[in-house]
Each structure stands twice: as structure tokens, then as C-alpha cells.
Amino acid sequence: MKGIIFDFNGTMFMDSDLHEAAWLHLIQKYSENQMTADDILKNIHGKTNDVILRHFISAELADDQVEKLADEKEAYYRKLVLASPGHNEFTKGLKDVLDYAKKEQIPMTIASASPRVNIDFYFDYLKLGDWFDYDKIVYHTGEFPGKPAPDIFLVAAKKIALDPKNCLVVEDSYSGLQAAQNAEIGTIVAIDPFGKNQSVFTAEGLAQDGIIQNSTTFIPTYLK
């Protein structure tokens, strides 16, 4: 392992519950479709907004409708973040990991299905610029297919000038772990803070290098 690619939501920042709440709010407002636990695992987390909206609301949505609805969802989500005192810091142990990687000059970046507006929000809210080069962050632009396609991790590896086989990916989502495998990432670590998805990840061989609950043991396990 020579470099690290982090997913962001539910990995670096434990906000999965807020994304789920924001999607539930939007889907109930514009559709009669239901969002099951399996949907949350396989059709929400890790997916891009256009894919989610066309799955749950209408496959016939025009691009401008998708953009408008996605903006509404993300604005509602950011409002939830700011109103929640329990969502104002990194995953437990992660700051130590970031500090260590920076000190050891380990190349690292973020590969997220989030849109740019959210990345800008995170850079301000969590001071990501202390550890990450903004220009090396990969986020959803519509220029390549989202997870589980491998593209996002291939682009991220290229941004830190590494072969995917020399990268470690940390992911929390079903589709994200599939994407990492499809990109032939060398080391793939799943994070599952509440143990909800461990059985699925294990059964489907998606967490080939381990499942962690937080980042407190990450340095001795993966970086030394």
C-alpha cells in the first residue's frame, strides 16, 4: 500500500443517518415509492443523485429536473448537518490517521459520490484543506459513471499518481466496495460502525482486507 483513497459519507464522516433522512423526506414528498432497508444498502448509499432520483421518483426525469431535486435534497441534508450537534467531527480516530498520513507523506485523497457543493461544504465545515489537496478530490460531475463502476477510484488513483493496486480504499457502501473491487484496488477495507452490513459484506466477499467499526486501530493495522 502506497496511498489511501477515502470514501467520505459514512466513512470519514458518520452522516449516513442524515442522508437517509434527507432522501426519505424527498422521496415521500415527490413519490409514493417506499424505501426499504435493502434499498438503503444497495440503492441509496454510494449511488449518485441522478441514479437515486430516477430509481425512486421517475426514470423519465429530465436532466434539469434531476438537478433541481438533487439541489433540494442536498440543501436539506446540509441543514440537518448544521442542526445536529452529533455531526460535527470526523469518525472516531480518523484525525489521528490523517495527521499520521500527512506526517509520513502518504498520498491520499477522497473519492465521493457527493456533488461539488457538498465537497465545498465539507472543506469549510471540517477543514479538509488541512490534509487534502482540493484539486485531487474526486466527486460526482456526471463525467463518468458512478459506483459500482470502477471509474471514480481509477480517477482518484491517477490523481495521487499511483497504480490502483498500490492503493488502499476505505468504503462503507455496498456499491462503493463493488467499485473498489472493479477497479482492482490492492487493499479494500470496509467500515461498518454498527455492524448492520457485516454479514452481507462478508458473504459477498466485499471486504477482502477487513471490516472496521471506526479508525482507532487503522494506523497499526494498515499503515505500519
Side-chain angles (χ1 to χ4, degrees), residues 63-198:
D63 288 347
D64 61 333
Q65 293 174 304
V66 167
E67 183 176 0
K68 182 178 179 181
L69 289 168
D71 287 347
E72 180 179 347
K73 179 265 171 179
E74 298 303 349
Y76 186 81
Y77 156 77
R78 292 192 299 273
K79 181 179 178 181
L80 292 178
V81 173
L82 293 173
S84 175
H87 294 81
N88 58 8
E89 58 187 19
F90 290 123
T91 298
K92 185 177 181 181
L94 180 63
K95 187 177 182 298
D96 290 338
V97 174
L98 299 180
D99 287 341
Y100 179 88
K102 181 178 180 179
K103 179 183 176 182
E104 297 297 318
Q105 299 184 318
I106 298 171
M108 58 182 176
T109 191
I110 296 169
S112 173
S114 290
R116 179 171 181 166
V117 64
N118 281 12
I119 298 299
D120 291 343
F121 171 75
Y122 303 136
F123 261 78
D124 180 59
Y125 189 62
L126 294 169
K127 310 302 179 189
L128 290 181
D130 289 349
W131 303 277
F132 295 96
D133 181 343
Y134 184 93
D135 292 335
K136 293 180 180 179
I137 303 299
V138 185
Y139 49 85
H140 180 61
T141 63
E143 296 176 356
F144 50 80
K147 304 168 185 178
D151 303 60
I152 191 168
F153 291 124
L154 297 177
V155 172
K158 186 174 182 179
K159 291 252 188 183
I160 56 175
L162 291 175
D163 188 292
K165 289 183 173 61
N166 291 326
C167 294
L168 182 156
V169 160
V170 189
E171 257 286 357
D172 75 305
S173 73
Y174 181 86
S175 60
L177 291 166
Q178 289 178 318
Q181 287 193 337
N182 292 336
E184 298 185 356
I185 295 295
T187 305
I188 302 173
V189 178
I191 184 166
D192 184 19
F194 306 109
K196 294 193 303 182
N197 303 319
Q198 183 170 348

